[in-house]
Every structure is written in structure tokens, then in C-alpha cells.
Amino acid sequence: MPVILSGDRVRQVVATLEDTYPDAAPELDFSNPFELVIAVMLSAQCTDVRVNLVTHELFARYPDAQSLASANIEDVESIIRTCGLYRNKSRNAIAASQMIVDRFCGEVPASREELQQLPGIGRKSANVILSCAMSQDAIAVDTHVYRVSRRIGLSDASTVLGVEKDLMDATPRKKWSQLHHLLIFHGRRCCKAHKPQCQTCTVAHLCGYNASRNKSSSAR
Ligand code: SF4
């Protein structure tokens, strides 16, 4: 059962992660909201590095929603094939572009509710788009944010929505977007799913998971 940290300890965790990862930022390449919608869609079950390789070619050929909306699906599939799930992703990318053109006058909508109407965009992806491309305060809870938050003790919720709410309650609004990046950086580089690197972790002294692990090993 995760241990929940006090407000003071949450502040220490955030400050320490900020010191540890001063360059924490989105790792998907994009230059406007439309590109991020497509990049986020392609990133499902795929690495950001792989997505960046693919979107370079995709956006050179289809630079906006209008051009991707009228693309031939086989052409899109052949460009994004290496991202996995390419048939679904191609269908969604074209359908989302058509919706952006038809329903939102060619502009990516700036509300979560409208973003979630786009095929292939759920709440997490909508939060990424709002925070990274539209300067809105939002915390996107992906697998890293979910795991790291629960291990450290920033949340004891057992749902993605519950973790998102706990993180928003525990931190000031202006920190939400950066906290998302910090937790992803920490999850990818240190607090890995199968082998967390607790010996070298900068927040180990604040972490509930580490405290319970030390407690159970000293009881043996
Ligand atoms: S101490 Fe271990 S479990 Fe806790 S945040 Fe660091 S790596 Fe993750």
C-alpha cells in the first residue's frame, strides 16, 4: 500500500526532481499543436525516439490538418509502419485531421473535451497537448507518472484519473505541467518499472516505496 507524503515532503520531492532534471521537457518533436496531436497519437506503445524519426518524414509530406485529411491511407501507413499499430494509427491520424478541418475550422481545439472528440485522443493525450502545445496547466498521467507517483507516495490512487487528481491536489497549479515531465524523466531514467535504481535515486530519502523496502529488509 503506497505511503502518502505530507505537503512539505511533496515540495521537497518536486524541488529535488527539478534539481535532478533541469532540462525535463517534452521528448516528442513538434512545432505546432497539430504536429503534437499526431505525434502523441503515434506514440502509443512506441518510443518517442522512433516517433520522432517517423514524424520528420510525415510532416514534410503532410504539414497540416488539411493535407493529412486528404491523404491516401496506404501512403500514411508506409511512412509510419515502424511505429507499430500502424493501420489504426493511420486511420485515426487521417480521421482526426478531417475532424479538425470540418469541425474546428482547421485549428486544433484548445479544450480537453473537444480534443477528446478526436479519434485516437484520450484524456492523457489531451492533457499532453494542452500542457505542451497550448501552455495550459495539466498533468498527463502515463505509465511512468502513474508508477512513480505511487511509489514515491504522491498518490495512493489505483486509477489514472485518481492519480491525476491527487497530483493536482498536492501541487500548485503552476507546477502541474513541469511535474508531468519530471516524473516521466525520473521513470525513464531511474525509477524504472522492473528495476528501480533506488541506490542512486535523488529522492530515495523521501520515497515511501524505498522506506518500506528498507524496513522489510532490516526486519529479516
Ligand atoms: S527510491 Fe526507488 S522506488 Fe523510490 S523513486 Fe527512487 S527509484 Fe523509485
Side-chain angles (χ1 to χ4, degrees), residues 148 151-152 186 190-192 196-199 201-205 207-210 213:
V148 176
R151 279 184 179 163
I152 294 177
H186 195 55
C190 181
C191 191
K192 299 176 184 183
Q197 313 287 306
C198 304
Q199 297 81 355
C201 176
T202 54
V203 293
H205 60 297
C207 174
Y209 175 96
N210 191 46
R213 212 171 64 149

Side-chain angles (χ1 to χ4, degrees), residues 17-18 24 47 73 75 87 96 106 123 141 148 157 161 163 192-193 211:
L17 290 177
E18 284 173 339
T47 65
I73 191 160
D75 292 341
R87 288 189 201 281
R123 185 183 177 93
V141 178
V148 176
L161 200 56
V163 170
K192 299 176 184 183

Side-chain angles (χ1 to χ4, degrees), residues 88-106:
N88 260 343
K89 289 177 181 178
S90 299
R91 200 167 43 240
N92 284 338
I94 293 173
S97 299
Q98 288 168 345
M99 189 180 281
I100 290 170
V101 171
D102 295 342
R103 194 175 295 176
F104 301 110
C105 305

